[in-house]
């Protein structure tokens, strides 16, 4: 019943407006997604964005940029390579490739180092790891091109591990529904007026994409008890948002540990459960992204149960 | 410069005294060690025990039992299989196979699950993991045979990660010596009257075996800054020992985090630096071993430095 929930992620911004990514059409994106060993399940669109729900996570396409996240044992670096081959390296204004640490990294078809070697054959960039190898850590690659990120270009990632309690029990249960999960997580309140597209996997697992104007959010739930993982990613400006999204999700999902990664997003732990910050890291990239990573654990001492194999 | 310091470990106790393991001789043990892709560097002996220093860790052989630890990408499960083939499955009274979580598990030639599958083809046993997959954790297999461990059969393991400070600098420096390391760690005081055999690797890395009567200790140092690891294993009864071995080593090596694993050994954190216990686990095996695992981190918040790749 093991499933690797943690995601690999690519973000690409075009160098100029001579090409419009949305005009490439769904068949083009289906091919890119297929390179990662995933497929498109459904999509929603608004004036700015096409949001695709994938068999493994999500793809958001705007005219000038796209963000793709894939989990499991997908091969996202191959999708990256295929995209760059299609548009040409010179069309890329900025690209970043990110990889969260996996529960079972030895089951992956490549390491971040392997991915890096592949990507660097086509496009130059800096890469780094934040966080210790023997604890939560994240890998990032970003291109070296002369790109300056607008300060308002913010991304927020909340990655939750070992969820506990009523919500976790519901997500592992037989009687869940997509609507039930949306209500459980109070998503209509957290992301009011977003158009959403969601999918409940068998026997469990849940994905949702939401878009509203230029804003997006995506949540992916891998509830399996021994390796549970729930991720939220959004470009919503959290400091101006009427609801404290992180605090609400932490309260309902009650994870044993969680990571926060922010790009141009102020650190804010208001409303977090009693916690320890086990480590944190800040990094200013040449492109103007201020990256913050923090790894948290609940304050209570955890008595662990042996896992029989 | 990466080296995987964390060890795999096998302990075997014979079912009866019809065979004496020491009488098998060094060529036999060299073959067993070679199955793990390691080799014997040197040895010391006393009335009870032959202690071999290996290219990757250590082997201790008594007449009725042996303990072998190997680090790096060694294939200890193959050595286990070779030993069981040599003596016959019925000659085994008790065997346990243990594996610490690796920094880079994807570089290992097998997972614990792979090892388990191999070992279980020859000998039946229970296996379990203690500790979360996304944090420090340890795997253990032990045979199901009708063996009862004497209460005095104790093993103590102290595994230290991310060592810091003067001692760490010395261990990473160009001017270290085996004698300098013994003095740095005050080993003559921690283990008085032990016969020792040690080896300083190039460009760094250090191993020492010590024996005194039926007692043994072994310390292995992988000082590399990004993935440092120092392990101590000993069957010395810590509660009756005149010096607080754990507290001394933690004080001199100043690790960011450390694990303690005890078999029939009372938990005792006296003299530990200010710390958090991030998780702990107890387990009573059918053979009478009371196993305790605890994962500690220093109390201070750790500001991490990005690692450029």
């Amino acid at each position: 019943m093991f499933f690797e929930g943690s995601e690999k992620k690519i973000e690409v911004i075009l160098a100029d407006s001579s090409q419009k990514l949305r005009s490439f059409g769904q068949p083009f994106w289906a091919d890119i997604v297929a390179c990662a060993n995933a497929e498109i399940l459904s999509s929603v669109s608004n004036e700015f964005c096409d949001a695709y729900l994938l068999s493994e996570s999500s793809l958001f396409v705007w005219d000038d940029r796209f963000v793709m996240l894939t989990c499991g044992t997908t091969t996202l670096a191959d999708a990256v390579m295929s995209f760059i081959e299609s548009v040409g390296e010179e069309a890329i204004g900025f690209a970043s490739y990110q990889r969260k640490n996996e529960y079972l990294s030895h089951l992956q078809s490549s390491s971040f180092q392997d991915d890096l070697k592949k990507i660097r054959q086509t496009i130059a960039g800096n890469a780094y790891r934040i966080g210790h190898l023997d604890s939560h850590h994240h890998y990032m690659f970003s291109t070296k091109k002369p790109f300056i990120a607008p300060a308002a270009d913010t991304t927020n990632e909340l990655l939750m591990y070992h969820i506990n309690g009523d919500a976790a029990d519901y997500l592992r249960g037989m009687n869940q529904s997509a609507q039930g999960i949306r209500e459980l997580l109070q998503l209509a309140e957290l992301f009011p007026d977003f158009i959403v597209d969601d999918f409940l996997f068998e026997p469990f697992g849940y994905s949702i994409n939401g878009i509203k104007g230029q804003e997006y959010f995506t949540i992916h739930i891998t509830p399996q008890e021994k390796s549970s993982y729930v991720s939220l990613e959004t470009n919503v400006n959290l400091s101006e948002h009427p609801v404290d999204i992180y605090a609400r999700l932490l309260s309902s999902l009650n994870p044993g540990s969680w990571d926060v990664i922010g790009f141009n997003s102020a650190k804010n732990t208001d409303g977090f459960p009693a916690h320890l910050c086990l480590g944190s890291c800040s990094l200013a990239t040449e492109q103007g992204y201020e990256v913050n990573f923090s790894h948290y654990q609940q304050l209570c001492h955890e008595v662990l149960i042996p896992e029989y194999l």
Side-chain angles (χ1 to χ4, degrees), chain A:
Chain A
M1 287 303 292
F2 176 77
F3 185 80
E4 189 70 70
S6 72
E7 291 102 353
K8 306 167 186 78
K9 174 187 166 188
I10 177 75
E11 177 166 8
V12 172
I13 303 175
L14 292 185
D16 60 54
S17 56
S18 62
Q19 300 186 85
K20 303 237 178 281
L21 293 178
R22 299 180 78 193
S23 70
F24 290 11
Q26 181 163 333
F28 172 85
W29 292 106
D31 284 348
I32 296 293
V33 166
C35 291
N37 282 324
E39 58 179 310
I40 294 173
L41 298 177
S42 59
S43 67
V44 285
S45 294
N46 69 9
E47 186 186 349
F48 301 101
C49 180
D50 300 321
Y52 298 96
L53 208 61
L54 308 184
S55 52
E56 275 93 0
S57 306
S58 294
L59 165 66
F60 295 88
V61 182
W62 296 265
D63 274 335
D64 66 334
R65 65 171 68 196
F66 76 92
V67 171
M68 183 171 163
L69 300 99
T70 63
C71 58
T73 55
T74 48
T75 55
L76 186 60
D78 292 334
V80 175
M81 298 303 288
S82 177
F83 179 81
I84 298 175
E85 270 173 37
S86 296
V87 300
E89 190 270 345
E90 65 288 350
I92 310 291
F94 171 77
S96 74
Y97 177 72
Q98 210 183 322
R99 197 163 153 170
K100 279 86 177 172
N101 64 299
E102 290 100 11
Y103 275 111
L104 295 178
S105 64
H106 65 276
L107 297 183
Q108 294 292 311
S109 67
S110 69
S111 67
F112 181 80
Q113 295 281 7
D114 298 331
D115 294 349
L116 197 54
K117 203 171 162 189
K118 191 176 277 184
I119 292 170
R120 278 178 167 163
Q121 287 169 359
T122 303
I123 197 160
N126 295 317
Y128 37 89
R129 187 192 73 233
I130 48 182
H132 284 314
L133 277 174
D134 58 321
S135 183
H136 289 201
H137 58 275
H138 299 277
Y139 293 102
M140 297 192 187
F141 161 89
S142 55
T143 50
K144 277 183 186 164
K145 299 190 164 205
F147 170 85
I148 298 298
D153 185 357
T154 182
T155 309
N156 305 287
E157 305 178 16
L158 172 64
L159 316 173
M160 293 167 277
Y161 298 77
H162 308 296
I163 58 172
N164 268 297
D166 291 345
D169 292 342
Y170 178 80
L171 293 166
R172 291 171 190 138
M174 301 303 287
N175 298 315
Q176 58 182 307
S177 66
Q179 189 188 335
I181 296 174
R182 291 194 302 271
E183 288 170 5
L184 182 80
L185 301 180
Q186 303 170 301
L187 296 182
E189 212 179 320
L190 297 188
F191 297 100
D193 305 323
F194 277 67
I195 306 171
V196 298
D197 181 22
D198 59 358
F199 195 89
L200 188 62
F201 294 87
E202 286 288 340
F204 34 61
Y206 173 79
S207 288
I208 184 168
N209 286 341
I211 49 175
K212 176 185 162 191
Q214 304 257 20
E215 293 178 327
Y216 74 96
F217 79 89
T218 184
I219 293 174
H220 299 282
I221 300 177
T222 301
Q224 280 87 323
E225 192 159 6
K226 308 301 181 186
S227 53
S228 63
Y229 175 81
V230 179
S231 68
L232 160 73
E233 166 158 337
T234 181
N235 66 347
V236 163
N237 184 331
L238 297 181
S239 61
E240 294 177 359
H241 202 66
V243 187
D244 200 338
I245 296 170
Y246 282 4
R248 289 286 192 94
L249 288 175
L250 290 170
S251 170
S252 57
L253 292 166
N254 191 28
S257 64
W258 62 97
D259 300 340
V260 173
I261 306 178
F263 295 77
N264 296 341
S265 179
K267 270 181 84 164
N268 177 9
T269 60
D270 290 351
F272 278 24
H275 62 271
L276 309 161
C277 181
L278 300 180
S280 66
C281 187
S282 291
L283 180 82
T285 75
E286 289 171 33
Q287 287 79 25
Y289 288 109
E290 184 70 34
V291 185
N292 281 296
F293 162 76
S294 298
H295 171 36
Y296 300 94
Q297 176 175 319
Q298 294 224 22
L299 190 55
C300 53
H301 168 80
E302 190 170 8
V303 177
L304 303 165
I305 310 296
E307 160 83 352
Y308 284 85
L309 304 172

